């Protein structure tokens, strides 16, 4: 059935044919929506509030409880939730925030757009999380905060990062877009930002949230997500309101929140299946260890994405050939400071984070999602072996 994988394992040569190993494309990630999810959304559509209603509050309460935090602010996506977190700490023009070199652009953009300066820290070569040993030398009198990203869903070494933050009186923000469902997500952080984009662990279509134990942060974020005005659904019939600061409309709808509440009930199940898929990949990739190395897992992970490092293979060629076999591969991520915007503004900083730059040339994301079957995993392995033969 998986002729290339079988032949590779037994060191046999076989003739390759031109047809792709899969007839249909295997996505690198996607959502899982069931009948309960659909019913929850339909209920909202038939009700009185499509937005700024009770379902948003319910979803916030549910997520806060799930992650063990006092307060939660739902937002329109996991990018606007980062903006809320930056607003919460009252970042001033020119303040510096330390961020990992490898992440989605939002992690740095929230600092940049809010008038701060993102300072890029190199990553650990084995986990691709921010390297705690490289943070301290980046701290200046202007440093206000650290944003740590739980890359691929694996929690960072927060004990170490918290110690540094406390020593220098810095705020610690988790960009936990990948890691809702990991044990202890956000535990040692002042603010934790989540994303509910369809490829993430649970989805609301678009959506995000910030969780915190700090009431002042909570109040600031509630105001910021709604134009700098505090108007929840209970007070909407009062004509008087006051805009205390300049803000945005970053609200989540009740339609999305109802989907989120329904999805959250399945988060543990989703993560458990992802762990099974990773175990299968890791076991079978032993046969390919001269070519492919999975990331190291030292801390709990949701396995939001399955990233491997290629050895002795050209990543871009490999990428093209996997696509030709109908395997949906991706690359997470190009070092943020290499993007044109950052290059144009701050100059060419090639060499700034050598580990990130080197690893970027090697990494590729293989498909993983809750409803992916073991057969799907073997089709990925088959495609890899076809390319290697
Ligand atoms: C997805 C993601 C975001 C942004 O979330 P959206 O909901 O897509 O806006 C931020 N940071 C990281 C690390 C992400 O992967």
């Amino acid at each position: 059935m998986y002729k290339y994988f079988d032949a590779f394992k037994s060191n046999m040569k076989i003739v390759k044919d031109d047809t792709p190993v899969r007839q249909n494309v295997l996505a690198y990630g996607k959502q899982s929506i069931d009948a309960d999810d659909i019913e929850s959304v339909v209920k909202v559509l038939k009700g009185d509030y499509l937005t700024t209603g009770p379902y948003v509050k319910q979803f916030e309460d549910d997520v806060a409880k799930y992650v063990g935090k006092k307060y939660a602010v739902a937002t329109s996506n996991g990018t606007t939730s980062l903006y809320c977190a930056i607003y919460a700490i009252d970042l001033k023009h020119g303040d510096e925030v330390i961020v990992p070199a490898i992440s989605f652009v939002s992690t740095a953009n929230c600092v940049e757009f809010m008038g701060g300066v993102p300072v890029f820290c190199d990553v650990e070569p084995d986990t691709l999380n921010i390297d705690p040993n490289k943070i301290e030398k980046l701290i200046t009198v202007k440093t206000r905060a650290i944003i740590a990203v739980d890359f691929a869903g694996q929690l960072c070494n927060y004990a170490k990062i918290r110690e540094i933050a406390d020593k220098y009186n810095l705020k610690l923000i988790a960009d936990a877009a990948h890691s809702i469902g990991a044990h202890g997500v956000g535990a040692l952080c002042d603010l934790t930002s989540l994303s509910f984009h369809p490829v993430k662990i649970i989805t609301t279509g678009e959506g995000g949230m910030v969780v915190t134990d700090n009431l002042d942060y909570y109040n600031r974020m509630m105001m910021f997500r709604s134009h700098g005005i505090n108007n929840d659904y209970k007070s909407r019939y009062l004509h008087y309101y006051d805009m205390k600061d300049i803000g945005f409309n970053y609200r989540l709808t009740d339609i999305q929140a109802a989907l989120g509440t329904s999805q959250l009930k399945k988060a543990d199940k989703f993560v458990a299946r992802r762990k099974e898929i990773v175990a299968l990949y890791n076991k079978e990739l032993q046969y390919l260890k001269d070519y492919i190395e999975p990331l190291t897992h030292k801390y709990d992970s949701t396995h939001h994405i399955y990233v491997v490092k290629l050895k002795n293979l050209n990543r871009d060629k490999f990428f093209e050939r996997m696509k030709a076999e109908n395997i949906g591969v991706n690359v997470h991520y190009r070092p943020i400071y290499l993007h044109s915007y950052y290059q144009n503004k701050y100059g060419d900083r090639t060499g700034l984070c050598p580990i990130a730059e080197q690893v970027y040339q090697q990494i590729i994301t293989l498909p993983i999602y809750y409803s992916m079957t073991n057969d799907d995993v073997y089709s990925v392995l088959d495609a890899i072996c076809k390319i290697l033969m």
Side-chain angles (χ1 to χ4, degrees):
M1 182 113 155
Y2 304 105
K3 57 180 181 181
Y4 300 108
F5 185 50
D6 289 341
F8 190 90
K9 279 195 290 188
S10 50
N11 218 351
M12 274 168 31
K13 281 273 165 235
I14 55 167
V15 182
K16 294 198 236 183
D17 54 46
D18 293 337
T19 50
V21 298
R22 291 182 64 96
Q23 285 182 330
N24 60 339
V25 176
L26 181 66
Y28 86 89
K30 71 171 178 189
Q31 72 278 10
S32 290
I33 301 290
D34 66 13
D36 288 343
D37 294 327
I38 293 167
E39 203 182 302
S40 314
V41 171
V42 170
K43 201 167 135 200
V44 180
L45 291 171
K46 289 178 176 168
D48 289 334
Y49 295 103
L50 295 187
T51 190
T52 328
Y55 290 94
V56 172
K57 182 78 174 85
Q58 182 67 54
F59 184 38
E60 288 171 338
D61 290 349
D62 291 346
V63 173
K65 190 167 170 225
Y66 181 75
V67 301
K69 292 282 175 182
K70 285 195 187 125
Y71 310 105
V73 177
T75 60
S76 50
N77 55 63
T79 301
T80 53
S81 59
L82 283 168
Y83 282 73
C84 284
I86 291 296
Y87 180 80
I89 65 166
D90 197 17
L91 196 80
K92 298 281 193 270
H93 190 85
D95 281 352
E96 293 173 1
V97 178
I98 296 171
V99 302
I102 289 196
S103 183
F104 185 56
V105 292
S106 296
T107 311
N109 289 359
C110 62
V111 178
E112 180 74 20
F113 224 108
M114 298 291 277
V117 180
V119 174
F120 296 96
C121 184
D122 213 343
V123 296
E124 298 176 325
D126 55 346
T127 65
L128 305 195
N129 275 340
I130 191 166
D131 188 340
N133 296 318
K134 293 183 178 161
I135 294 175
E136 232 171 322
K137 69 171 193 296
L138 300 174
I139 296 172
T140 73
V141 290
K142 288 184 175 169
T143 310
R144 285 287 313 286
I146 301 165
I147 304 180
V149 177
D150 301 327
F151 183 82
Q154 177 173 198
L155 299 181
C156 298
N157 182 350
Y158 283 112
K160 186 84 194 276
I161 302 171
R162 182 77 253 182
E163 203 179 296
I164 298 166
D166 288 344
K167 183 170 166 192
Y168 294 92
N169 196 21
L170 309 177
K171 304 300 177 209
L172 176 53
I173 300 171
D175 180 348
H178 299 180
S179 52
I180 186 169
H183 298 296
V185 60
L188 296 177
C189 301
D190 299 298
L191 294 140
T192 302
S193 173
L194 306 167
S195 166
F196 311 120
H197 181 275
V199 297
K200 307 292 162 82
I201 301 298
I202 63 166
T203 190
T204 60
E206 295 279 359
M209 200 174 289
V210 189
V211 292
T212 182
D213 282 328
N214 184 311
L215 179 61
D216 179 48
Y217 289 165
Y218 170 74
N219 288 330
R220 285 179 62 80
M221 293 190 289
M222 286 296 275
M223 218 176 65
F224 187 65
R225 82 159 176 200
S226 207
H227 313 281
I229 300 167
N230 197 350
N231 68 336
D232 71 358
Y233 72 104
K234 285 171 234 146
S235 61
R236 72 159 60 158
Y237 298 109
L238 301 176
H239 74 82
Y240 179 84
Y241 55 82
D242 188 34
M243 192 190 95
K244 294 190 164 57
D245 197 359
I246 191 87
F248 288 97
N249 176 352
Y250 281 169
R251 295 188 300 261
L252 188 76
T253 66
D254 280 57
I255 306 165
Q256 294 165 305
L259 178 57
T261 288
S262 178
Q263 284 264 301
L264 184 65
K265 292 179 187 146
K266 290 165 284 197
D268 291 343
K269 180 177 88 172
F270 288 169
V271 171
R273 173 61 189 151
R274 283 169 179 272
K275 285 183 176 171
E276 280 176 18
I277 294 169
V278 166
L280 181 61
Y281 263 132
N282 287 355
K283 180 180 124 224
E284 299 293 14
L285 283 173
Q286 292 286 325
Y287 294 103
L288 306 173
K289 63 179 185 302
D290 292 342
Y291 303 97
I292 292 182
E293 182 189 330
L295 294 188
T296 304
H297 283 94
K298 303 177 192 166
Y299 299 99
D300 196 35
S301 177
T302 61
H303 301 287
H304 153 62
I305 43 178
Y306 187 72
V307 175
V308 296
K309 283 193 271 179
L310 300 180
K311 298 193 278 189
N312 313 312
L313 291 170
N314 178 298
R315 195 269 318 278
D316 290 341
K317 278 194 196 133
F318 184 83
F319 183 97
E320 282 312 315
R321 295 184 67 183
M322 288 293 274
K323 286 254 160 174
E325 300 299 334
N326 283 332
I327 308 296
V329 282
N330 211 314
V331 175
H332 298 94
Y333 301 92
R334 182 177 170 203
I336 297 174
Y337 59 85
L338 295 180
H339 284 274
S340 299
Y341 169 84
Y342 286 101
Q343 292 264 39
N344 293 338
K345 177 157 177 188
Y346 296 96
D348 180 6
R349 291 190 283 180
T350 306
L352 185 66
C353 298
I355 304 284
E357 286 176 35
Q358 195 222 314
V359 148
Y360 165 62
Q361 300 297 334
Q362 294 178 278
I363 46 178
I364 190 159
T365 303
L366 303 180
I368 189 168
Y369 53 88
Y370 169 71
S371 60
M372 186 175 169
T373 65
N374 287 5
D375 274 351
D376 290 330
V377 173
Y378 281 104
S379 72
V380 175
L381 296 163
D382 211 36
I384 296 171
C385 292
K386 185 175 174 185
I387 292 165
L388 293 179
M389 285 167 77

